[in-house]
Amino acid sequence: MLAVYFDCPGGPENLYVKEMMKPEPGEGEVLVKVSASALNRADIVQRRGKYPPPKGASDILGLEAAGSVAGLGPGCKGRWKIGDAVMALLSGGGQAEYVTVPEGYLMPIPNDLTFIQAAAIPEAWLTAFQLLHFVGKIQKGERVLIHAGASGVGVAAIQLVRLAKAVPIVTAGTQEKLKAAANAGAAAGFNYKSEDFSEKVLEFTQGAGVDIILDCVGGSYWEKNLSCLSTDGRWIVYGLLGGGEVHGDLFARLLSKRGSIHTSLLRSRDKEASSGYQQCERLVKAFTEDVLPYFSRGASPHLETLIDSIYPLHEIAEAHRLMEENKNIGKIVIKMPA
């Protein structure tokens, strides 16, 4: 099979498409013929040599994929049959023509979605769903601040907050991205480059602040995040685009608001650890039951993926460059050879 590969960490120019052995499904695994995958920040960081895959995972890039069932390993429980259209959350290996997946990580593709559309769902939407429901315990009417509001996770989070009958507020770095977030359902959006988002959030919430913050930025935002966090608010850190260092009296500020910090990395769950597998399987099951039906045509409310661009597998380096330039609005999808 063909797969994305790099021999040593570095820039996008180190990426190339290599012929590799097609994987064989192990106990309880399904072999998927991949039609489309998608790019995530984790792929960029892994390519730079700073985010190794968890124990037991493929070292091929790609944390999500959509395609069809091509084989069943021993011990599969009959949930899937050859030819089923599926999408999957992966710990690695999605940017290849075939990938093996624990059967509990697979989700059916809604009838109205193409493989391209489906490939944009697993990582972003499961991340947002986990952060909001499993970690943040979102409640009806709460206010949620979503950083990087036009990213894949951001656009998913906006719609999931609306689905929970709560209020999504976003930050983004351009007016074009703020417009995309508004189109996805954001109640308000602020340009972090040209205005103080904490002041704007407090103004929008009439001084109350936000109940949940979904933060992929980290260190450089800590003071502004705490300024607009409500009493008893939950600050959820799932990325460190702004660094991991904090200079200042974070704990005193947090304590004064009875706030809490939560951290989450969806990918860090060890494939070989039963607890990690069960948690991920529980997440996939809940998402499949509670959210996936809203992607079907005619559903109300209707959920939609936002795709920025589509690149063929052989142009993977260009896809990485686009993401590194932070220009994409929505997901960058990688299409496999026909």
Side-chain angles (χ1 to χ4, degrees), residues 7-331:
D7 294 310
C8 58
E13 67 279 0
N14 287 21
L15 294 169
Y16 65 101
V17 176
K18 179 180 181 180
E19 193 160 323
M20 303 179 72
M21 290 292 293
K22 183 170 76 174
E24 293 292 329
E27 183 75 22
E29 289 186 331
V30 174
L31 179 68
V32 174
K33 186 180 190 305
V34 180
S35 293
S37 183
L39 200 58
N40 291 281
R41 291 280 172 191
D43 297 315
I44 303 291
V45 185
Q46 183 177 336
R47 189 205 70 222
R48 293 172 181 165
K50 297 178 180 178
Y51 191 24
K55 185 180 178 183
S58 170
D59 58 2
I60 297 170
L61 299 175
L63 302 183
E64 56 197 329
S68 53
V69 173
L72 302 168
C76 284
K77 298 174 182 176
R79 301 182 199 180
W80 310 101
K81 64 181 186 298
I82 303 297
D84 281 348
V86 293
M87 54 187 176
L89 174 70
L90 309 167
S91 52
Q95 290 165 24
E97 291 184 297
Y98 289 89
V99 66
T100 56
V101 189
E103 62 175 341
Y105 288 20
L106 288 172
M107 297 174 283
I109 296 177
N111 292 333
D112 305 318
L113 295 189
T114 65
F115 287 130
I116 295 290
Q117 292 170 315
I121 292 176
E123 177 68 14
W125 283 81
L126 282 168
T127 294
F129 182 72
Q130 181 207 29
L131 297 175
L132 290 167
H133 290 276
F134 281 49
V135 183
K137 311 291 185 187
I138 188 172
Q139 301 296 313
K140 180 180 178 180
E142 289 191 316
R143 300 165 296 264
V144 183
L145 176 60
I146 303 161
H147 292 310
S151 66
V153 173
V155 169
I158 290 166
Q159 295 177 71
L160 290 174
V161 169
R162 285 289 188 190
L163 190 62
K165 295 181 168 55
V167 183
I169 304 165
V170 305
T171 67
T174 68
Q175 292 307 118
E176 188 181 11
K177 289 183 177 183
L178 289 173
K179 184 178 179 181
N183 290 340
F190 307 112
N191 188 327
Y192 66 85
K193 292 181 179 178
S194 61
E195 51 194 350
D196 185 327
F197 72 78
S198 63
E199 290 180 1
K200 293 292 184 179
V201 166
L202 286 169
E203 185 180 317
F204 178 77
T205 60
Q206 297 180 319
V210 291
D211 304 286
I212 298 174
I213 299 174
L214 300 190
D215 180 18
C216 57
V217 179
S220 63
Y221 272 13
W222 80 267
E223 289 184 282
K224 290 179 180 178
N225 279 334
L226 279 178
S227 292
C228 63
L229 187 68
S230 68
T231 302
D232 296 316
R234 290 92 77 198
W235 172 15
I236 305 171
V237 181
Y238 70 99
L240 297 172
L241 295 175
E245 291 190 8
V246 170
H247 301 284
D249 205 351
L250 182 153
F251 290 114
R253 296 275 300 278
L254 189 66
L255 189 62
S256 71
K257 292 196 170 186
R258 301 197 305 266
S260 57
I261 296 180
H262 305 261
T263 63
S264 181
L265 276 178
L266 195 57
R267 189 195 188 185
S268 64
R269 300 166 200 282
D270 192 331
K271 182 182 176 184
E272 296 179 1
S274 60
S275 61
Y277 174 82
Q278 290 166 0
Q279 287 173 5
C280 198
E281 191 173 44
R282 187 163 62 94
L283 174 65
V284 168
K285 184 175 185 293
F287 181 84
T288 300
E289 293 174 353
D290 299 343
V291 178
L292 211 51
Y294 291 101
F295 283 96
S296 297
R297 188 180 298 121
S300 180
H302 181 62
L303 302 177
E304 292 184 338
T305 58
L306 177 60
I307 294 173
D308 176 271
S309 49
I310 303 166
Y311 285 84
L313 185 67
H314 285 84
E315 293 180 18
I316 186 66
E318 289 304 312
H320 274 239
R321 288 188 183 99
L322 177 66
M323 180 167 277
E324 285 189 323
E325 291 169 357
N326 203 31
K327 292 181 179 178
N328 59 297
I329 298 176
K331 295 287 286 187

